[in-house]
Amino acid sequence: MERRLFRYILKHSARDQVIILAVVVASMLFYFISLDLPKRIVNEAIQGRAFPQDGGVAVLFRVSFGVPEFLGGGTLTLFEGVDLERLPYLLVLSLLFLVLVVVNNGFKFYINTFKGRLGERLLRRLRYELFDRILRFPLPHFRKVKAAEMATMIKDEVEPLGGFIGEAFVTPAFLGGQALTAVVFIMVQNWLLGTVAVGVVFLQIAIVPRLRRRVLVLGRERQVTARQLAGRIAEVVDGIQEIRSNDASNYERADIAARLGRIFRIRFEIYQRKFFVKLVNNFLAQLTPFFFYSAGGYFAIKGELDIGALVAVIAAYKDLPGPMKELLDWDQQRLDVQIKYEQVVDQFHADEFVSPERQNPDLGSGQSLSGDIVASGLTYTDDIGLKLIDGVALKAPVAGRLAIVGPPGSGKTELAQIVAGLIRPTGGTIALGDVDPSRAPEAVLGRHIAYVGPTTYLFPQSLRDNMLYALKHLPRDNSDPDSPTAARDRAETRRTGNTLLDIGADWIDYRGAGLADAEAIDDRLMEVLAACDFDRDVFELGLRSAVDPAAHPDITAGALDVRRKMAERLAAPEHEGIVERFDPMRYNAGATVGENLLFGLPVGDAFRMDRLALNPYVRTVLADSGLGPILLDKGLGVARTMVEIFADLPPGHEFFERYSFIRHDELPIYKGMLVRAAAGDALGEDDNARLIGLALMLLPTHRLEALDSDLQQRIVGARATFAKNLPDNLRANVEFFDSDRYIVAGTLLDNMLFGKVSRERANADATVDKILAEVLDASNHRRDVIRAGLDYQVGVGGARLTAAQRQKVGLARAMLKRPDLVVLNEATAGLDAATHRRVMESLMAMPQTGIVAVLHRASLAVAFDSVLMLKSGRVAEHGSYADLVGKAGLFAQMAAAD
């Protein structure tokens, strides 16, 4: 990238800059005329100098010019003009003045719009280029940068550049032109007043920039400290577990407070200096009118300057401080954004970038890997000069099974990354058949090599999207759009140097996955899930996922089919009562009082179960049905029991989570309620709501307060009233249970069971799970549940999955693209032994796929063709598992220790 901002601007917008400067020059002619016109209105029309003493008419708009003597002399008239009396003459000049105001504002509108669009174009280009640099950073460089700081710079720090880029040339030209035009006009009227105006202008130019230098330095410091603050906050978010587990919260508060204090001090000094500069600038700007009114008035009194000229001079100067102030502001902005630009370019600089040619999606995409992995004199030194790999020599088939073993720090991780083409060796050579992974295009490495590290990062998307990420190399159909809007957007994209690849196209490489088209992708995904021992996990996620009927009508229809078949199976005598189905005429003993009252699932927060008693409509239904006092009394009983049992337990005790209706910090509140109630004092509305809320959480199995059949029937009656009288504005906030309809707000499991599992039957959950699995298998709907699980949103970084599940996604992603070579860098270290064995069996069963695996335990190498033992970056041993175990060397010791 260009180091200087103005060079960058000219490089990418020279043609547009010339166009807008030409418009600015044209606008100056009309601006000068608009300055001169008030003088003519005052002198010629109002004072009547254009008219004879006896009135008569004057000529307006006459166009003529003198002919030189050598051409014959005289005057050449192109247009005789228009004869007007005094009043029409005044009106026409006034109307012309109004027209010029419109024309000048039209120029301003066009210029501002043009420069705004120009600035946004270059800002878009700059942000894209910075992001492109991130994609081309060498992998070790990411250890030197912070993700939050990179994001902050692209999002926020280059934002001011967008506003300035469009003004880089046009603003000084436009404002300078206006100021120069005004000064020239004043000089024409009176040279002395013009000299004063020029003197004050030069005084402003000499003083104000000097005062602003410290402000620029402070601005640079503010930017750096703000960026560091963003990086530190990101570190706190990433390390929150360590902070909590080490009681370091207050240390982090102190650190952030100190950083905020430094930013405060910098910003406060900036404000002080900026407003002092503004004070000086305003004083200098008002100094000139003092001379105009005094000296100009003197000349007018003496008759050396007519009133019209004085009025015009004052009007012209009135327009001068604005452009001058904006010019000075522009100059400060220029210095500021130049500093910002240079800092951003420095931050996005790396000693070596991945070349754009290596990331060309079409370059070498048809090339595959075969032959041998051959390394000779391979070395790798990190950025601090530590040699992690030292003269490694290696030869093994690409399609073979090679295990790499070694103690921590042996260089095994770096060797795996070199084989995968993720880092470049600092010495020696390596080849995968005819392919040098350190120089091969990413289209070759990314499609024919699968690398899985010890941790797998997942994007905050669905499981399906994260798995298919391995196949998103290039859009299959990137044809030009048909609509005018899309075509215009595409042209704008081209002008800003952004990629023309369409994110809305189908990016999935079905051929790479061994498929003919999109129809078979689900079958392939499920095959890979089973191979990674991940299908059961996804099945469980699917059961607990909500499914949109509009997006997946087949899955929701299948859920209703399973609901009917589950009802048939659960109606058998041996399963009677194991699931209490939802019946509008019966109280559901497996549901709480609140759930029975609602008889549906809340949508949004209006009828959220933990706040149900606070809802005014619910309170009205309870009062009208006479349940309010009863539930209040039940709530008092629950509160009394909770306080008696849990009052002496320490905060955080597991019993609060498992058994208590009340948090530890709420115990004093409820204790106070009980005291007031025992004394006969009236409880407030908030107290009543809290107590009724406790009663709404009751189940018959809690045995805290009796829920006899009479009370249950009254709740069922209130349920009907609740549904019948529900206001229209609240109907969208609850989805009532209906045996013939899919419950959109519920999960697949909710819809399939359509009831509550009994809490009194032993092993009820296991029995229901077994029956459900049998029904799903018999009706071929298990696949639907897994498809729903594939739509599960994994959260930021995959945080909604366990570490083992994230690792399984990484392994499944690797299998999905059927690579020629799989490089595993302790990729199964977080899996249990049985899962590791099944995953490795699946990987080794892949035809024509080689495996290079860094193993966390030496004994696991028994399944591999050959073993490479590293120690301190060198090859200590190399051979088959049996040979190395028989030699009683370092490998044998590590294998025996397992």
Side-chain angles (χ1 to χ4, degrees):
M1 291 180 65
E2 293 288 347
R3 292 284 306 170
R4 306 296 296 177
L5 178 59
F6 277 81
R7 289 181 183 175
Y8 181 84
I9 295 171
L10 283 175
K11 180 179 179 180
H12 298 295
S13 66
R15 176 178 172 273
D16 289 334
Q17 298 290 355
V18 170
I19 292 173
I20 194 63
L21 287 175
V23 175
V24 168
V25 172
S27 71
M28 291 300 106
L29 173 63
F30 293 91
Y31 179 62
F32 186 89
I33 296 173
S34 68
L35 292 177
D36 186 64
L37 196 55
K39 182 182 75 171
R40 296 191 62 183
I41 292 174
V42 173
N43 290 341
E44 297 179 5
I46 297 176
Q47 293 186 340
R49 293 185 183 179
F51 295 86
Q53 293 295 329
D54 57 352
V57 296
V59 179
L60 187 62
F61 301 134
R62 183 176 184 181
V63 181
S64 63
F65 58 90
V67 179
E69 291 295 334
F70 68 88
L71 293 178
T75 300
L76 179 62
T77 301
L78 300 179
F79 180 62
E80 293 292 343
V82 180
D83 293 334
L84 295 172
E85 294 181 351
R86 189 169 179 178
L87 184 58
Y89 191 92
L90 172 63
L91 293 176
V92 170
L93 287 180
S94 300
L95 183 60
L96 183 59
F97 177 81
L98 184 61
V99 170
L100 286 174
V101 170
V102 173
V103 170
N104 285 328
N105 282 323
F107 273 113
K108 288 182 180 179
F109 176 80
Y110 178 82
I111 290 169
N112 286 323
T113 303
F114 192 98
K115 70 182 184 183
R117 182 171 56 187
L118 179 60
E120 289 302 316
R121 277 179 183 155
L122 263 70
L123 178 60
R124 177 180 177 182
R125 176 187 289 274
L126 178 59
R127 281 175 166 159
Y128 180 81
E129 289 185 7
L130 294 176
F131 177 73
D132 179 72
R133 286 193 154 212
I134 292 177
L135 293 178
R136 295 195 293 113
F137 279 156
L139 198 63
H141 186 76
F142 286 95
R143 294 196 292 264
K144 305 177 185 178
V145 300
K146 296 180 181 179
E149 292 187 11
M150 294 286 105
T152 298
M153 282 186 278
I154 293 179
K155 174 182 175 289
D156 295 326
E157 291 192 21
V158 301
E159 182 75 25
L161 273 63
F164 177 79
I165 286 171
E167 301 178 351
F169 295 97
V170 65
T171 293
F174 183 70
L175 296 176
Q178 282 191 330
L180 182 61
T181 302
V183 168
V184 169
F185 178 79
I186 294 171
M187 292 287 288
V188 170
Q189 310 309 313
N190 185 281
W191 68 271
L192 184 58
L193 295 181
T195 302
V196 171
V198 171
V200 173
V201 166
F202 277 109
L203 196 60
Q204 286 178 290
I205 294 173
I207 294 177
V208 173
R210 289 177 179 271
L211 294 175
R212 283 177 168 172
R213 287 177 183 173
R214 176 59 182 166
V215 176
L216 294 175
V217 174
L218 291 169
R220 187 183 309 122
E221 292 180 13
R222 181 200 58 78
Q223 180 180 343
V224 172
T225 52
R227 184 193 308 152
Q228 291 172 345
L229 174 67
R232 185 59 184 157
I233 291 173
E235 290 173 358
V236 170
V237 173
D238 292 339
I240 190 64
Q241 181 174 307
E242 302 303 319
I243 293 170
R244 295 269 179 87
S245 63
N246 292 288
D247 186 27
S249 299
N250 290 308
Y251 174 81
E252 297 299 339
R253 288 189 179 96
D255 182 32
I256 295 300
R259 293 172 185 268
L260 292 174
R262 174 161 174 73
I263 293 175
F264 168 79
R265 290 190 295 273
I266 293 172
R267 292 178 69 92
F268 183 67
E269 186 176 351
I270 288 175
Y271 289 142
Q272 285 181 307
R273 291 181 177 274
K274 281 177 66 175
F275 286 114
F276 177 73
V277 171
K278 188 174 183 180
L279 182 148
V280 172
N281 195 37
N282 287 341
F283 173 76
L284 292 176
Q286 296 302 318
L287 188 61
T288 306
F290 164 75
F291 290 110
F292 282 4
Y293 288 125
S294 57
Y298 173 80
F299 289 131
I301 292 171
K302 291 293 187 178
E304 298 178 17
L305 181 68
D306 59 60
I307 298 299
L310 179 60
V311 170
V313 165
I314 294 174
Y317 183 77
K318 186 179 178 182
D319 288 341
L320 185 59
M324 284 305 304
K325 178 181 179 301
E326 292 183 43
L327 270 175
L328 292 171
D329 290 342
W330 173 88
D331 185 62
Q332 180 177 353
Q333 188 183 14
R334 174 187 66 82
L335 296 172
D336 190 35
V337 298
Q338 177 65 47
I339 292 170
K340 282 186 171 67
Y341 178 79
E342 291 175 0
Q343 287 182 334
V344 168
V345 171
D346 287 341
Q347 289 294 320
F348 281 81
H349 173 74
D351 295 333
E352 183 181 10
F353 284 96
V354 176
S355 66
E357 292 75 18
R358 286 192 66 190
Q359 294 186 334
N360 185 336
D362 296 318
L363 188 61
S365 58
Q367 187 175 1
S368 60
L369 305 180
S370 60
D372 293 329
I373 302 173
V374 180
S376 177
L378 200 63
T379 62
Y380 178 73
T381 305
D382 67 7
D383 53 358
I384 62 171
L386 184 63
K387 186 174 286 188
L388 301 176
I389 298 177
D390 187 6
V392 168
L394 165 69
K395 185 174 182 180
V398 170
R401 310 287 187 263
L402 173 65
I404 302 176
V405 181
S410 62
K412 56 184 180 179
T413 291
E414 289 73 22
L415 181 57
Q417 291 177 335
I418 289 174
V419 172
L422 295 177
I423 60 176
R424 294 185 65 174
T426 51
T429 61
I430 183 170
L432 310 179
D434 297 330
V435 175
D436 180 353
S438 65
R439 292 179 172 80
E442 287 188 6
V444 174
L445 301 178
R447 302 180 199 188
H448 299 285
I449 298 177
Y451 174 86
V452 187
T455 58
T456 297
Y457 181 85
L458 301 183
F459 295 97
Q461 300 170 335
S462 68
L463 265 176
R464 179 191 302 274
D465 290 332
N466 274 285
M467 291 178 65
L468 292 177
Y469 194 76
L471 301 175
K472 295 182 178 181
H473 313 304
L474 196 65
R476 294 195 307 147
D477 180 14
N478 200 51
S479 58
D480 290 335
D482 296 327
S483 69
T485 301
R488 185 168 57 251
D489 289 344
R490 194 172 181 85
E492 195 65 41
T493 301
R494 186 181 292 106
R495 292 191 67 171
T496 53
N498 288 205
T499 181
L500 294 174
L501 299 177
D502 181 12
I503 190 62
D506 185 357
W507 282 71
I508 299 175
D509 179 12
Y510 298 105
R511 184 178 177 183
L515 307 173
D517 51 38
E519 297 298 323
I521 194 66
D522 279 354
D523 291 333
R524 176 69 176 139
L525 287 173
M526 292 184 190
E527 176 186 326
V528 169
L529 290 174
C532 290
D533 200 28
F534 193 34
D535 51 342
R536 179 63 187 176
D537 301 69
V538 179
F539 175 79
E540 293 293 337
L541 294 175
L543 283 177
R544 286 155 181 79
S545 296
V547 177
D548 182 5
H552 299 288
D554 53 336
I555 295 179
T556 53
L560 293 177
D561 181 49
V562 171
R563 179 191 294 179
R564 290 188 289 270
K565 292 176 179 175
M566 283 293 292
E568 294 172 3
R569 287 288 301 273
L570 294 172
E574 65 271 21
H575 300 314
E576 185 177 358
I578 197 170
V579 172
E580 185 160 359
R581 289 173 60 81
F582 296 124
D583 185 334
M585 304 307 297
R586 293 181 54 195
Y587 188 90
N588 193 306
T592 64
V593 172
E595 290 170 335
N596 271 283
L597 177 67
L598 198 64
F599 197 69
L601 293 178
V603 179
D605 293 335
F607 295 110
R608 214 173 70 188
M609 283 298 166
D610 59 341
R611 302 182 61 187
L612 196 61
L614 299 174
N615 185 281
Y617 176 66
V618 172
R619 299 288 297 276
T620 300
V621 171
L622 294 178
D624 292 346
S625 62
L627 286 171
I630 299 174
L631 294 180
L632 180 61
D633 184 62
K634 299 287 184 187
L636 278 168
V638 173
R640 191 176 299 110
T641 303
M642 293 293 107
V643 170
E644 290 174 359
I645 295 175
F646 296 103
D648 296 329
L649 292 180
H653 196 283
E654 62 176 326
F655 282 4
F656 281 102
E657 180 70 24
R658 295 176 61 183
Y659 304 116
S660 180
F661 285 24
I662 301 173
R663 299 196 311 269
H664 182 274
D665 60 329
E666 293 178 325
L667 285 175
I669 299 174
Y670 285 96
K671 189 180 295 185
M673 293 183 201
L674 293 174
V675 171
R676 291 195 297 274
D681 296 339
L683 297 177
E685 286 296 314
D686 290 343
D687 293 340
N688 290 337
R690 284 178 179 270
L691 294 171
I692 292 174
L694 292 180
L696 291 176
M697 290 190 283
L698 283 171
L699 286 165
T701 54
H702 284 147
R703 306 286 193 268
L704 296 171
E705 289 291 323
L707 299 177
D708 55 44
S709 58
D710 179 61
L711 177 58
Q712 292 180 7
Q713 286 305 117
R714 294 186 68 172
I715 294 171
V716 171
R719 170 196 298 172
T721 303
F722 178 93
K724 179 180 179 182
N725 299 330
L726 186 65
D728 291 339
N729 64 319
L730 292 176
R731 290 196 174 275
N733 294 106
V734 59
E735 186 174 7
F736 295 110
F737 295 133
D738 185 336
S739 60
D740 295 325
R741 287 178 54 250
Y742 184 86
I743 310 166
V744 180
T747 65
L748 272 181
L749 184 61
D750 292 334
N751 277 280
M752 291 173 177
L753 292 185
F754 197 68
K756 293 284 186 177
V757 179
S758 172
R759 297 172 184 264
E760 297 184 332
R761 294 280 294 270
N763 300 319
D765 287 324
T767 303
V768 170
D769 287 346
K770 182 174 181 295
I771 296 171
L772 180 60
E774 292 172 356
V775 170
L776 288 170
D777 289 336
S779 58
N780 294 320
H781 288 307
R782 175 178 287 272
R783 172 190 174 91
D784 291 341
V785 178
I786 295 178
R787 285 173 58 206
L790 285 170
D791 289 333
Y792 180 78
Q793 298 296 313
V794 302
V796 177
R800 298 183 69 196
L801 300 178
T802 66
Q805 288 174 332
R806 291 195 293 273
Q807 206 58 16
K808 289 178 182 180
V809 176
L811 292 163
R813 196 157 55 190
M815 292 184 192
L816 186 61
K817 61 181 178 180
R818 302 189 312 156
D820 296 326
L821 179 65
V822 176
V823 179
L824 304 177
N825 182 11
E826 297 190 351
T828 60
L831 306 180
D832 59 77
T835 303
H836 164 83
R837 185 181 65 255
R838 286 192 290 269
V839 169
M840 294 308 300
E841 287 174 355
S842 299
L843 284 168
M844 291 186 176
M846 294 175 64
Q848 300 177 337
T849 296
I851 300 175
V852 173
V854 174
L855 300 176
H856 57 287
R857 299 209 325 260
S859 60
L860 299 176
V862 66
F864 289 77
D865 301 334
S866 61
V867 180
L868 186 71
M869 179 73 197
L870 295 180
K871 182 182 179 182
S872 300
R874 294 176 175 272
V875 178
E877 298 174 81
H878 187 197
S880 68
Y881 181 86
D883 290 343
L884 296 186
V885 169
K887 289 180 180 179
L890 178 60
F891 178 81
Q893 295 174 17
M894 291 184 64
D898 291 342

